Amino acid sequence: MTWVDEYDISSRIRYQKKHLYHDILFYGYDDHSFSTLGFDKERKFSETRIPFTELESLETTFPNWDIKLLIMERRDDFKYEFDLELVVQSLREYVLSSNPMRHFRMFRNESEDYIYGFAAYDCLIEYIKSDIDPQTGFDIRPFHVLWEHKICMSQRIDYMISEGYMSSSKDFVVEWKTVEETFSKLRNMMLKYSFTGNKGLLSGGIDLLQRTMQVEKSLLNQLIEILGRK
């Protein structure tokens, strides 16, 4: 893992157009390049290769960062026990938009620079309303991340049912799958906007997000109540 500026990465849409700094995970390499996943120049989430030469800018872009590349590997000797209490706590914080980092304020004071949980949706709506240029400035990633979050929650619910942490409820599972599918639709609408610039997609996206937020919040409150009985 390392940090990059997409301005220097030829496989990215912001290449030589706009600076965008972020961390990036490599999962393979050959004699000339690293392999990674991300949104390419066509805005498709796919495998891309980044030549070593395009990472030479690390020295000038991040001059004060001593560690330029972090090496990570899987540990098969480690087992994490499922923590139901932490799941319930995290769900409550998500629904209430509270800062989970407050539990670590013995190390540092809470920051007011960030938002959490459902409050992020309000900011996302404001982002949609901001009329950003779809060709160079519109960022599809928050919508993609939200969709992935719903997928992860679907998998978590399936796991908790299979392991007996909650009883099987076909209606609940079906309703949550609908939430997941709706966020997939939202992500696709915003992706289409980035190609077409059709502003009708933005207003439709806002309406879809506002309606689905209420459904998701209701389902998560039900889930908190169910898991809280354990």
Side-chain angles (χ1 to χ4, degrees), residues 137-183:
F138 192 78
D139 195 345
I140 188 65
R141 291 176 301 167
F143 305 96
H144 190 86
V145 169
L146 275 178
W147 173 47
E148 288 187 336
H149 175 257
K150 310 316 165 196
I151 294 174
C152 289
M153 280 300 301
S154 290
Q155 295 172 343
R156 178 180 282 178
I157 289 167
D158 290 341
Y159 174 82
M160 290 190 293
I161 291 175
S162 67
E163 296 297 314
Y165 293 105
M166 60 182 290
S167 58
S168 179
S169 172
K170 183 178 180 179
D171 290 343
F172 185 90
V173 171
V174 169
E175 287 186 74
W176 185 265
K177 287 291 184 182
T178 301
V179 170
E180 178 189 325
E181 291 166 1
T182 302
F183 273 91

Side-chain angles (χ1 to χ4, degrees), residues 2 13 16 22 32 35 43 49 53 56 69 74-75 78 82 88 103 109 114 158 165 175 177 185 201 206 211 214 226:
T2 189
I13 194 171
Q16 300 296 301
H22 62 83
H32 308 286
S35 301
R43 295 187 175 89
R49 306 193 71 82
T53 54
E56 291 176 355
L69 189 67
R74 174 174 170 169
R75 286 185 53 184
F78 183 82
F82 188 75
V88 174
H103 303 297
N109 297 124
Y114 304 98
D158 290 341
Y165 293 105
E175 287 186 74
K177 287 291 184 182
K185 181 179 179 180
L201 293 166
I206 291 172
R211 286 187 284 109
Q214 302 308 314
I226 292 169

Side-chain angles (χ1 to χ4, degrees), residues 16-30:
Q16 300 296 301
K17 295 179 181 177
K18 185 176 181 179
H19 293 282
L20 179 64
Y21 309 101
H22 62 83
D23 54 349
I24 191 169
L25 178 66
F26 302 129
Y27 61 85
Y29 64 93
D30 58 22

Side-chain angles (χ1 to χ4, degrees), residues 12 59 154:
R12 298 295 191 258
E59 294 295 334
S154 290

